[in-house]
Amino acid sequence: MRAFDYIEIRVPAKSQYVSVIRLTISGLAMRVGFTYDEIEDLKIATSEAVTNVVHHAYKSNEEGEVVIGCALFEDKIEIMVADYGVSFNFEEIKSKVGPYHEDENVALLREGGLGIYLMETLMDEVKLNNEGGVTVFMTKYVSREQVKGNVERITT
């Protein structure tokens, strides 16, 4: 693999393509060396970003597309999810969502906005750009075993 490989996919902003993106992310993450749990985190975070585009980026009579870009490095994956639809104020939305607390009454939990919270929880870095549509940049690092380098050889 070079310093990094870049893969870009463009799909219509329709819910039936979210599963296609999840499968693609799964395959790419496996190539980088993520664990099963890390791949599940990547799939959830990415599908939340794509679902946000499907539900919020374009008006109901407007056809749009989602651009998913993946940069594969030896130790991380960078995922970009972009649209050309309606922008929003990220800080305003973020101030209205999570974190959720265990002592909150389930019946009173806020509806919506959980996608941003999930993305920030499951990924190592999340950045948003909302100029001319919304672009979400997410990074996840491969967690390698930390013991390997610090173990001394034991001889008998």
Side-chain angles (χ1 to χ4, degrees):
M1 192 179 322
R2 299 181 313 198
F4 72 94
D5 289 332
Y6 181 76
I7 296 95
E8 185 173 290
I9 305 162
R10 293 174 180 265
V11 296
K14 296 179 179 177
S15 59
Q16 59 262 39
Y17 292 102
V18 175
S19 60
V20 173
I21 300 307
R22 288 175 55 90
L23 286 171
T24 302
I25 293 298
S26 177
L28 295 174
M30 193 175 301
R31 289 191 55 82
V32 175
F34 285 99
T35 66
Y36 174 81
D37 289 338
E38 292 168 332
I39 291 171
E40 291 301 310
D41 290 349
L42 286 161
K43 288 166 50 180
I44 291 169
T46 305
S47 61
E48 286 295 331
V50 174
T51 301
N52 281 344
V53 173
V54 170
H55 289 287
H56 305 295
Y58 301 102
K59 295 176 183 167
S60 60
N61 59 351
E62 188 180 16
E63 289 191 19
E65 70 177 2
V66 186
V67 180
I68 298 95
C70 299
L72 309 179
F73 296 83
E74 274 190 37
D75 63 340
K76 67 181 178 180
I77 186 169
E78 293 179 351
I79 301 171
M80 173 200 72
V81 177
D83 66 68
Y84 304 105
V86 180
S87 298
F88 66 93
N89 185 329
F90 173 68
E91 291 303 326
E92 180 185 331
I93 298 294
K94 187 177 175 182
S95 69
K96 295 178 183 176
V97 300
Y100 294 91
H101 302 285
E102 291 178 15
D103 56 342
E104 287 185 59
N105 183 341
V106 175
L108 301 176
L109 286 177
R110 298 170 299 277
E111 187 175 315
L114 199 55
I116 294 171
Y117 176 71
L118 281 172
M119 287 183 262
E120 289 191 324
T121 301
L122 300 173
M123 301 296 286
D124 294 320
E125 296 171 14
V126 176
K127 296 177 185 167
L128 276 95
N129 181 342
N130 58 355
E131 296 174 11
V134 176
T135 305
V136 179
F137 299 97
M138 301 181 287
T139 303
K140 186 146 187 94
Y141 293 91
V142 176
S143 59
R144 308 267 189 228
E145 290 189 30
Q146 313 245 334
V147 177
K148 198 173 190 178
N150 298 325
V151 173
E152 292 180 25
R153 180 172 228 154
I154 299 173
T155 56
T156 54

